[in-house]
Amino acid sequence: MKLTFLTALLLASATSAAAQPQSAAVRVDPQVVALRDAALNDDYAWDITEGLTTEVGQRLAGTEAEARARAWAVVKLRSLGFSNVRIETFDMPIWTRGPESAEIVGPFPQKLAIAALGNSASTGPQGITGEVVGFDTLADLEGAPDSAVRGKIVFVSHAMPRTMDGSGYGFFGGPRRQGPTIASRKGAIAIVIRSIGTDYHRNPHTGVMTFAEGVRPIPAGALPLPDAEQLQRILKRGKPVTMRLTLLSETGRGQSGNVIAEVPGRDSSLPPILVGGHLDSWDQATGAIDDASGVALAAAAAKRIMDAGRPLRTIRVVWFGAEEPGLFGGLDYQKRHGSELHYAMAESDFGAARIWRVNSKLGKDREAEAKALQAALAPLGIVPGALDKAEGSDIGPMLEAGAPGVGLSQDGTYYFDLHHTPDDTLDKIDREALRQNVAAWTTMIAVLSGGIEPQPKRRRRR
Amino acid sequence: MKLTFLTALLLASATSAAAQPQSAAVRVDPQVVALRDAALNDDYAWDITEGLTTEVGQRLAGTEAEARARAWAVVKLRSLGFSNVRIETFDMPIWTRGPESAEIVGPFPQKLAIAALGNSASTGPQGITGEVVGFDTLADLEGAPDSAVRGKIVFVSHAMPRTMDGSGYGFFGGPRRQGPTIASRKGAIAIVIRSIGTDYHRNPHTGVMTFAEGVRPIPAGALPLPDAEQLQRILKRGKPVTMRLTLLSETGRGQSGNVIAEVPGRDSSLPPILVGGHLDSWDQATGAIDDASGVALAAAAAKRIMDAGRPLRTIRVVWFGAEEPGLFGGLDYQKRHGSELHYAMAESDFGAARIWRVNSKLGKDREAEAKALQAALAPLGIVPGALDKAEGSDIGPMLEAGAPGVGLSQDGTYYFDLHHTPDDTLDKIDREALRQNVAAWTTMIAVLSGGIEPQPKRRRRR
């Protein structure tokens, strides 16, 4: 059944790709086709995802857990046969979560679920108590007079929709990213937001925020959707609502690092292809989709190329450290390697659902290569996307600075059900979708690799 | 669209019911038909469910929160026009949850989610640490030599399947109900079980258990499915696994009570029809499906009868207290009223999904009445079930003792995704399904009521 369905999908996709005049003339290299189709049976990505989430678990940036993840990564990547496996460490500020709770004191006493946002101020063990003032949007908070907010606990709701491409996360992430700064400037004693998420479980969505320069940090937390809507219902009753918040946290300095491994190219003078994801996770789950599966599928694809022979260009696998608290790994890599040329960069950090679109930004003179990439991916059910766009979290600053990139977009329809919640665990990974991801990444690397030559067979010693 | 679908459903069900020879001759009283169909637009049940979960929230048996729920209930039932609204209080032992946590100390340090089971012993704030010994089934634990268990933390997994009628809860609930006693007898220092649930969220399923007479209480907790499977993966690596458990709790005495309200019958000498649910909830959620919706739909159906006129028999609405920790409300009601005759008893305590089956146990001499009930319910898509069976939690002991009863079975396919978890919140209620429930209950009461006479219009005073 599975194979029949896949065959039908491949045929349908191929037909649709052939119908597009611009792709019709592109013939996909049989070596790429063979690598792509073989990767649909990949087990490397699952093994890495399962191993990292099981044997390391949660791995908050800058903590000893993330250090264990780096040690695990080095052993794993070496055992897979990668070359030049190394760690590039860097120092960073760290924020760690303590016990946290929220309750309505009146008029209807009850507990709510809550999680502090990264960089939230600590309430101290005595907690804080205040009247809640609710706003339906960030704009409503911005437009409110300071007098309506001063001395109160701000609550911001919003209406983030479910989208396939995750485009709601930018605009509707505002309450998390800018909300705390705006609330503090207006004199709020704390802020709670409706989680930047789409699910109705009692799992708050954490995530980082940074107070603007000079703004006094205040406690900031996220309520799960059921709790946020409960608070809205309570506020609608029209009586003054008092909330008690205890959000404990600590700050300090720590060390993180990027784990780097390579498949050496035949011509070491050529710029490498960078593929990666981030090794750190938030602290409340094992980070299966964010981003164990990302580091796993990027490495699995590179491993498949390595198994097939030797690419012309070096493939550099980077498992970035400390993405979640602010792209520290990406910025460290940029500081060290940003002036080196890269042939292309790609990062997987949007879950492990099926890839549905390929964007790229390889430059005007490499349009044929970009179209060859589109043609090679189309049979996997991947829509040819923009030629002047690529995305990635850690690689974002380098892409912005002009590095060539490829973006293989996962279907994000259900991504924000799990993102930054305790629910981001291994059971959420769809193994077939993960294999389609590996097939797409293997295809992408194969197309860009400059050709893979079989390893010469070693002579037997007599 | 909705009406068209409903019409189609009604026709299909009616046809299917007509095809059964035993029902063909039964003509449904037009008054019952009118009441049934009008109830498909019911708002009373939603209003009660929304009000109780919002304005009271969590309401653990024997606590001040449950007392607030009783006070809320009295106000609500009086405002709806019920008569003889009263509370029958009783004393009971109470168990309250404190902070709780679980972590793997080695070989792969990481946090797990956990919730103590009701009546768990407290570990004390220092927690306990021990080696984990895993069993796939309760039978495996039972068959293990004491030496394999002594001084260890027992972990019992199981394989509870998703079933429509909830029949897996009996057998597969064994690890929760008997597991702690068996583990303690074999010398275990604690027990953790795979939650008796079917969802893959990080929400442990709590629930009550009772140590057998003379057995030393030990700490007992439930892991969510993702954590239980994580622990299984870790154990499969074959290294000794050490776990640290902190499960704090307190015990004491408290007061609970049953809230009773009536629609007085025209003939007060006749035995009443008892309809109800339970008012208390577990402590981690607002108990929307367990059992706010149950008390709501039973009362809503009685209210609809009241609005239509005066039934021959009294309808007695009972919102039982303290069901969760051990049917205390049902047992108190039995003690006070068990010797009185009841015309029928029915309790809703299995969520608020669509009712798909009616069982009844009215006795041999009332078979015609039972079949009339089946015929009246069939157009709602309700399968005629057994004539010698009824069910209910609080009313269970009285049914066993011979009281006549009716069981309107909700579809339980997804019930154990939410049961006894933090996820049991208002957003999980499907309003259309809730209305179908009210229609079924209204139909049931109408059929059993002995006929409803319109209230005589009051003469205007001159």
Side-chain angles (χ1 to χ4, degrees), chain B residues 263-272 310-315 449-451:
Chain B
V263 181
R266 300 196 301 279
D267 184 344
S268 62
S269 72
L270 295 175
R310 202 154 176 201
L312 178 65
R313 297 185 179 86
T314 292
I315 302 159
S449 68

Side-chain angles (χ1 to χ4, degrees), chain A residues 91-144:
Chain A
D91 290 337
M92 57 172 289
I94 58 174
W95 176 94
T96 52
R97 184 186 311 279
E100 45 201 14
S101 64
E103 58 183 304
I104 304 292
V105 178
F108 309 126
Q110 56 191 279
K111 290 175 278 181
L112 299 178
I114 194 165
L117 300 175
N119 294 327
S120 165
S122 180
T123 59
Q126 74 287 357
I128 59 167
T129 303
E131 188 182 333
V132 177
V133 53
F135 299 97
D136 284 343
T137 66
L138 190 63
D140 289 347
L141 169 61
E142 279 184 294

Side-chain angles (χ1 to χ4, degrees), chain A residues 25-43:
Chain A
V26 179
R27 186 178 155 274
V28 182
D29 181 344
Q31 187 184 44
V32 172
V33 171
L35 278 163
R36 177 189 71 204
D37 295 351
L40 287 169
N41 295 313
D42 179 74
D43 281 325

Side-chain angles (χ1 to χ4, degrees), chain A residues 50-51 53-58 64 68 107-112 200-203 225-226 229-230 233-234 237 283-286 418 421-428, chain B residues 50-51 53-58 64 68 107-112 200-203 225-226 229-230 233-234 237 283-286 418 421-428:
Chain A
E50 195 266 359
T53 56
T54 302
E55 298 181 5
V56 179
Q58 311 94 12
E64 65 76 36
R68 276 190 282 115
F108 309 126
Q110 56 191 279
K111 290 175 278 181
L112 299 178
Y200 277 81
H201 299 288
R202 300 289 300 288
N203 290 321
L225 270 55
E229 294 185 1
Q230 177 86 336
R233 279 189 294 271
I234 291 172
R237 258 68 173 175
D283 54 343
Q284 300 187 303
T286 59
L418 305 173
T421 75
D423 261 352
D424 181 4
T425 47
L426 185 65
D427 50 282
K428 308 309 182 305
Chain B
E50 195 266 358
T53 57
T54 302
E55 298 181 7
V56 179
Q58 309 94 13
E64 65 77 34
R68 276 190 283 114
F108 310 126
Q110 55 191 280
K111 291 175 277 182
L112 300 177
Y200 277 80
H201 299 288
R202 299 289 300 289
N203 289 323
L225 271 54
E229 294 186 0
Q230 177 84 338
R233 279 189 295 271
I234 291 171
R237 258 68 172 174
D283 54 343
Q284 300 187 304
T286 59
L418 306 172
T421 76
D423 261 352
D424 181 3
T425 47
L426 184 64
D427 50 281
K428 307 309 183 304

